[in-house]
Amino acid sequence: MYLRVSVTDRCNLRCTYCLPERARFAPDPAAPDEIDRLMAAVCAAAGVRKIRITGGEPTLAPALLQHIRTAAWLVPTVGMTSNGVLLAGMAGELRAAGLGRLNISLDAADAAGFRRATRRDRFAQVVEGIRAARAAGFAPLKLNAVATTDTDAPALARFAIAEGVHLRFIELMDIGEAHTGWAGRHVASAALRDRLAAAGLALREEPERDEPTSRVWTIPGVDPARTTLGFITTVSDPFCATCDRIRLSSRGRLHTCLFDERGTDLLAPLRAGDLAGLDAAIRRAVAAKAPPAHFRREGVMAGIGG
Ligand code: SAM
């Protein structure tokens, strides 16, 4: 199993498809030690081999290094997804704490586009964060861009080539803030590749490079060890049949699908000291993991993690 842990639902950006400007965050998140204890309980009950720390924005979590150390003690592979704003000051520490893989979300390749996408002026900090992450030894470093009708895919691809990083486009999902006008903003991966080709970036399909959730293409003339493009086709070609992801929210709930809105409360048995009940609740939830009835979620992504 692959566990994603949202260590905080707070965020320092307001991506238009993710959080409203006046986002309201959960008043009752799990405490850092509770998150770590739940992470350990889920690993033991569900046979987790890989953990990704996410959020909200994980670099805002008060005990991020502690969460990474705990995760690195529990499983062989620990990754994190961040918006990169605060990374420049902490990339080295994260690596030393045991973080092995890092994905940085970036939806635009210039300051104006970044502001439109995130409602904040932090493009320069993110670029600094990307460079600091590379200098700290995170390789391969991946950028994630959510594809919408506003996305300048060729500019992002050229940015990735110039920075020597890999780029993954995520199809916009009908979740939270993205719901209003979703159909009009969604761009399928095939249409995105057409746009790239029209801009002179004809890609080559390389199925042997595919990752569990992304179809990977190379760019003729570009070293694939430095830069490849990938497409996460959550909407146009869902990968439920092979999905082994489960998610622990910042409120201590276990969700066995991104679209499993309710989840299972793990904090109550933990706080009651009912460790057998906690273990049983996790096992029951994981055994019932199934593809969603519909690919839609009312709540925002931040609490459950992307
Ligand atoms: N703050 C971190 C970051 O920006 O990477 C981690 C949390 S963020 C919720 C995780 C990922 O979810 C980001 O790549 C984000 O762009 C993506 N995301 C959020 N809402 C989405 C939506 N409606 N459809 C597709 N991806 C979405």
Side-chain angles (χ1 to χ4, degrees):
M1 281 282 166
Y2 172 17
L3 173 66
R4 297 173 74 98
V5 183
S6 175
V7 290
T8 177
D9 63 351
R10 294 349 185 225
C11 194
N12 45 3
L13 298 181
R14 291 291 180 275
C15 300
T16 54
Y17 52 77
C18 190
L19 282 177
E21 179 60 70
R22 295 201 183 144
R24 280 189 293 158
F25 299 107
D28 53 353
D33 286 352
E34 290 176 325
I35 291 179
D36 286 349
R37 291 181 66 197
L38 290 180
M39 198 158 46
V42 174
C43 286
V48 173
R49 300 292 298 157
K50 184 172 160 191
I51 292 177
R52 178 162 293 272
I53 305 288
T54 175
E57 172 47 38
T59 56
L60 297 178
L64 176 61
L65 293 177
Q66 174 191 311
H67 299 312
I68 290 171
R69 284 190 203 104
T70 304
W73 183 77
L74 290 167
V75 296
T77 309
V78 182
M80 184 173 92
T81 300
S82 165
N83 61 30
V85 172
L86 298 174
L87 270 181
M90 54 170 78
E93 274 180 310
L94 295 170
R95 187 115 189 111
L99 187 66
R101 300 181 184 185
L102 187 57
N103 289 8
I104 300 176
S105 300
L106 181 67
D107 293 340
D110 63 277
F114 185 89
R115 184 169 218 304
R116 275 196 306 279
T118 67
R119 304 192 185 104
R120 296 291 184 271
D121 282 314
R122 297 285 183 273
F123 180 69
Q125 283 97 318
V126 178
V127 174
E128 243 185 277
I130 292 168
R131 293 176 183 165
R134 286 196 52 206
F138 288 103
L141 187 63
K142 281 188 199 162
L143 302 186
N144 289 338
V146 173
T148 71
T149 41
D150 295 334
T151 304
D152 187 342
L156 277 165
R158 293 199 170 99
F159 177 88
I161 295 167
E163 294 292 327
V165 295
H166 298 267
L167 174 62
R168 303 288 175 258
F169 290 102
I170 307 173
E171 290 183 353
L172 182 69
M173 291 179 273
D174 186 354
I175 293 181
E177 280 297 285
H179 179 60
T180 308
W182 172 79
R185 291 183 79 191
H186 173 260
V187 182
S189 295
L192 214 55
R193 283 193 294 275
D194 289 345
R195 284 194 199 174
L196 287 162
L201 288 156
L203 307 182
R204 188 184 304 130
E205 192 168 12
E206 299 240 7
E208 68 281 5
R209 294 181 188 274
D210 282 354
E211 296 155 359
T213 57
S214 84
R215 305 282 86 85
V216 177
W217 299 57
T218 54
I219 311 161
V222 173
D223 179 1
R226 280 173 59 86
T227 306
T228 57
L229 300 194
F231 299 86
I232 303 179
T233 58
T234 328
V235 177
S236 66
D237 186 12
F239 35 81
C240 299
T242 54
C243 175
D244 63 352
R245 296 172 173 214
I246 52 179
R247 293 174 156 85
L248 179 62
S249 81
S250 50
R251 300 179 71 182
R253 298 187 81 85
L254 185 67
H255 300 259
T256 56
C257 171
L258 195 47
F259 300 95
D260 160 21
E261 194 101 38
R262 220 167 121 244
T264 300
D265 178 25
L266 301 184
L267 260 190
L270 180 77
R271 287 181 177 168
D274 178 9
L275 299 187
L278 173 63
D279 186 76
I282 298 166
R283 287 175 194 272
R284 256 195 320 274
V286 172
K289 177 173 166 60
H294 49 80
F295 288 83
R296 174 145 190 251
R297 180 183 171 82
E298 300 288 339
V300 298
M301 195 89 132
I304 193 179

